[in-house]
Amino acid sequence: MLDTNDELHDLTSWLMILEKVVEQSANMVVITDAEQRIRWVNRTYTRITGWSLHEIQGKKPGQLLHGPLTSPQTSGFVRERLRQGLSVSGVEMVNHRKDGGAYTVMLNIEPIRDSQGRLQAYFSIQSDVSEQRALERANVQLQHHLQVAQRLARLGRVEFDRHTRSVRWSSEVHSILELPANEAPKGLRALLAFVSPEAQDELHERLRRVMQTGDEFDHELPIITHTGQRRWVRCRGVPQREGASVRPPDTWTIQDVTVYRELIEQKSLNNHRLQAMVEERTASLEEARQSLEAFSHALSHDLKKPIRHMVSYAEIAQDALLSGDVRAAQAYGQKVVAAGMRLQSLIDGLLEFSRMGRHGITPTWLDTAELVNECLSEVAASFPDRPFRASGQDSLPDIRADPILLREVWINLIDNAFKYSRHQAVTELVFACTRSDSGWTLSLSDNGCGFSPAMHSHIFQMFARANPDDSVAGDGVGLALCQRIVQAHGGRIWADSVAGEGSVFHLFLPRHPGAAGTGAT
């Protein structure tokens, strides 16, 4: 017999948590029904497009977002894929905001089906890649400017006359070095003195190798001009060969490549920024994909159970009727009704999720000791025959967190402690806290059956169970939800345990919820 109220509470709780996680996403999230009418959008969608859920609910996305720059071929391709009930992955198109401004979006859309394969809804993750594309266009422009700078650059010449032992500098050399036009030219040593001090050793090493090999000297050097300005120049010269010996070049060319080097550096910076954006976007999309996959898995998992029970109970009731056992048939008919109500509750829960208010975490200062005692009383009421002892609540400080979400964390952790200590005469619970400048590390120790260290990396995954004992109720969702809640606060959760020796669950919460956690590992 299904415990409908408990299962509905579990589903509703995790749907609420999932919504809060989705609201923190940097990506736009849209849920439409099977006819592709909008049922729910997250805050990021409203921020980027300007459309609120109230304004667009019941409408199709294309009616609002397509405009003069939207490609008909791309939008037609997306419509055809969705018409066939297929997913859309990595499709890029130009959409338009409420104010008419264009932006570039990367689309990923997944159909959601029930256990019979019938299409129920579409779940869409959309990423604004406008800034990324703008950087790519800026790189193209920089490349063009770089080519122009190279064409327009003037060359200076330094010439040495071996017969008269005189040196001549062209006017461009005076201009590059910011020397007065009437200043008499000097020798190569004076010219090389303009090279920046940090590049002097490399310069002399290159000159030494050139005089050994006779190869052309072609090198870009940083210089400090006569007025103290930093520039880059390209120096070129070909040594002269006289039999087996090599003498320095008679002519040097000097080209101001400062603009070229600045453009190269700017292009490199843009490339680094672009790469960082791509990596961040990839990580964000992967996280969103995993959330979508977990959501679809959970939905399918929970929908199948009442359907399976309905079919099973109906078959038993049918057999009872055929054998004339009306009482048994009525009893199993009531079970069919209960399973049907459970299925209806699941569907209603999904619809309610699509209509929920769009709020992120709402942190406030709360009394953790009081919250834990309330959760302890609530869980203990579900185990009326289980004696227990709890200590350490008074050591728990006031912290800043979302009270509704943190309550879900403690309910799950305390409930697990009761369930997995059922073979003990008394359930022992010990609460503790350590403080740091960055936040609080709270912990709960129990005397339950514990779990193998090999399971440490799996227990927070959806549907994973640390203990294989099927007689202990649970669907492997609770700890996954705890992890999502703590991560939404910018913290982290982990556990220490040895099979047969109890468990200790730790959660670090930062003083500023939403910032990356820095708690002890």
Side-chain angles (χ1 to χ4, degrees):
M1 183 74 178
L2 294 173
D3 190 337
T4 304
N5 290 333
D6 286 347
E7 292 191 357
L8 176 58
H9 174 74
D10 288 345
L11 177 66
T12 302
S13 296
W14 97 264
L15 286 174
M16 291 177 66
I17 304 312
L18 180 61
E19 183 205 13
K20 288 181 178 289
V21 173
V22 169
E23 284 289 14
Q24 306 307 309
S25 174
N27 299 303
M28 294 173 277
V29 178
V30 182
I31 297 177
T32 64
D33 58 19
E35 287 72 41
Q36 300 171 38
R37 293 187 295 267
I38 295 174
R39 302 302 298 273
W40 184 85
V41 298
N42 67 347
R43 285 183 297 175
T44 303
Y45 181 96
T46 298
R47 176 177 59 79
I48 292 177
T49 68
W51 293 103
S52 67
L53 177 61
H54 176 72
E55 295 173 301
I56 62 176
Q57 198 168 38
K59 299 180 181 179
K60 294 189 175 183
Q63 296 173 322
L64 306 166
L65 303 178
H66 293 176
L69 299 181
T70 304
S71 166
Q73 292 81 9
T74 304
S75 57
F77 169 78
V78 172
R79 283 196 303 271
E80 181 60 21
R81 293 281 298 181
L82 298 183
R83 187 187 67 80
Q84 299 178 33
L86 301 175
S87 63
V88 175
S89 179
V91 173
E92 188 172 305
M93 70 162 52
V94 176
N95 278 342
H96 294 74
R97 302 180 179 88
K98 183 179 179 180
D99 62 6
Y103 66 98
T104 306
V105 65
M106 183 76 72
L107 293 175
N108 290 275
I109 306 173
E110 287 291 336
I112 297 176
R113 303 178 183 278
D114 62 19
S115 61
Q116 304 299 318
R118 292 186 294 266
L119 183 64
Q120 298 295 312
Y122 289 97
F123 194 108
S124 173
I125 298 174
Q126 306 177 12
S127 305
D128 183 0
V129 295
S130 304
E131 185 178 353
Q132 180 178 334
R133 297 298 173 260
L135 276 174
E136 291 172 349
R137 290 192 294 271
N139 269 348
V140 172
Q141 293 177 342
L142 283 171
Q143 184 65 32
H144 172 71
H145 294 327
L146 181 62
Q147 294 172 350
V148 172
Q150 288 176 309
R151 290 199 303 268
L152 297 180
R154 293 179 302 170
L155 289 174
R157 291 173 65 84
V158 174
E159 296 177 342
F160 175 71
D161 189 325
R162 284 187 299 137
H163 301 292
T164 62
R165 312 293 295 178
S166 62
V167 178
R168 188 178 72 83
W169 291 3
S170 68
S171 61
E172 286 82 4
V173 175
H174 286 81
S175 177
I176 291 171
L177 300 178
E178 295 184 315
L179 290 168
N182 59 356
E183 182 166 328
K186 301 175 179 147
L188 180 62
R189 188 180 300 276
L191 182 66
L192 298 181
F194 284 95
V195 174
S196 296
E198 73 273 12
Q200 285 284 346
D201 290 344
E202 182 181 3
L203 168 65
H204 286 94
E205 175 61 23
R206 283 178 173 269
L207 286 172
R208 185 187 64 79
R209 290 203 302 267
V210 164
M211 295 304 297
Q212 287 178 343
T213 63
D215 295 334
E216 178 184 14
F217 181 93
D218 186 350
H219 190 42
E220 291 177 3
L221 302 165
I223 65 168
I224 305 298
T225 69
H226 179 68
T227 63
Q229 300 298 313
R230 183 179 176 86
R231 288 185 176 178
W232 281 87
V233 295
R234 180 184 181 187
C235 295
R236 300 182 66 184
V238 180
Q240 303 296 312
R241 288 189 176 274
E242 292 182 347
S245 63
V246 177
R247 60 181 178 82
D250 290 339
T251 301
W252 293 86
T253 62
I254 301 176
Q255 183 180 19
D256 188 343
V257 293
T258 304
V259 175
Y260 165 77
R261 290 293 299 225
E262 288 176 348
L263 288 171
I264 287 289
E265 290 172 1
Q266 182 62 44
K267 182 178 179 181
S268 177
L269 285 174
N270 276 353
N271 283 338
H272 285 309
R273 288 180 58 201
L274 186 60
Q275 180 63 30
M277 288 178 62
V278 169
E279 291 174 356
E280 180 181 357
R281 185 74 65 187
T282 300
S284 179
L285 284 174
E286 177 60 21
E287 180 181 355
R289 184 194 67 77
Q290 291 176 356
S291 296
L292 174 57
E293 183 177 306
F295 174 72
S296 299
H297 187 185
L299 184 61
S300 174
H301 176 270
D302 285 325
L303 282 176
K304 286 178 180 178
K305 286 198 297 185
I307 293 174
R308 186 166 58 247
H309 282 83
M310 289 172 67
V311 172
S312 177
Y313 295 151
E315 290 175 345
I316 296 173
Q318 186 179 43
D319 291 341
L321 285 174
L322 291 175
S323 64
D325 190 346
V326 177
R327 186 181 298 276
Q330 288 177 331
Y332 281 99
Q334 291 175 352
K335 292 178 182 287
V336 172
V337 172
M341 293 176 64
R342 167 62 175 157
L343 179 60
Q344 181 63 50
S345 296
L346 290 172
I347 295 173
D348 289 344
L350 174 61
L351 295 177
E352 184 63 25
F353 167 70
S354 71
R355 302 189 195 100
M356 283 180 185
R358 305 190 306 284
H359 302 286
I361 67 170
T362 307
T364 185
W365 284 101
L366 58 91
D367 186 335
T368 311
E370 180 179 349
L371 176 64
V372 166
N373 282 327
E374 290 175 1
C375 295
L376 187 58
S377 297
E378 181 178 330
V379 173
S382 300
F383 299 86
D385 300 325
R386 178 74 54 77
F388 71 94
R389 283 193 296 267
S391 62
Q393 299 96 306
D394 293 342
S395 70
L396 302 180
D398 290 354
I399 66 173
R400 186 168 170 79
D402 187 307
I404 296 176
L405 294 182
L406 196 61
R407 180 184 182 86
E408 291 293 329
V409 172
W410 285 116
I411 287 288
N412 274 286
L413 294 181
I414 296 171
D415 184 71
N416 277 352
F418 270 78
K419 287 192 298 188
Y420 287 104
S421 62
R422 65 194 183 97
H423 295 302
Q424 300 290 346
V426 178
T427 294
E428 298 278 359
L429 303 171
V430 180
F431 298 90
C433 175
T434 57
R435 299 165 176 82
S436 67
D437 292 340
S438 57
W440 306 272
T441 301
L442 308 167
S443 65
L444 169 58
S445 305
D446 64 52
N447 62 337
C449 59
F451 55 89
S452 167
M455 293 300 298
H456 283 190
S457 61
H458 302 291
I459 60 173
F460 295 103
Q461 297 176 2
M462 190 73 77
F463 303 118
R465 288 170 61 94
N467 194 294
D469 188 352
D470 292 333
S471 65
V472 178
D475 53 13
V477 173
L479 289 180
L481 295 181
C482 289
Q483 183 180 60
R484 294 287 180 86
I485 293 172
V486 174
Q487 287 177 343
H489 282 74
R492 58 184 297 269
I493 184 170
W494 69 101
D496 298 320
S497 183
V498 176
E501 299 182 11
S503 305
V504 184
F505 282 85
H506 312 270
L507 54 143
F508 171 79
L509 294 172
R511 293 187 180 273
H512 304 288
T518 57
T521 57

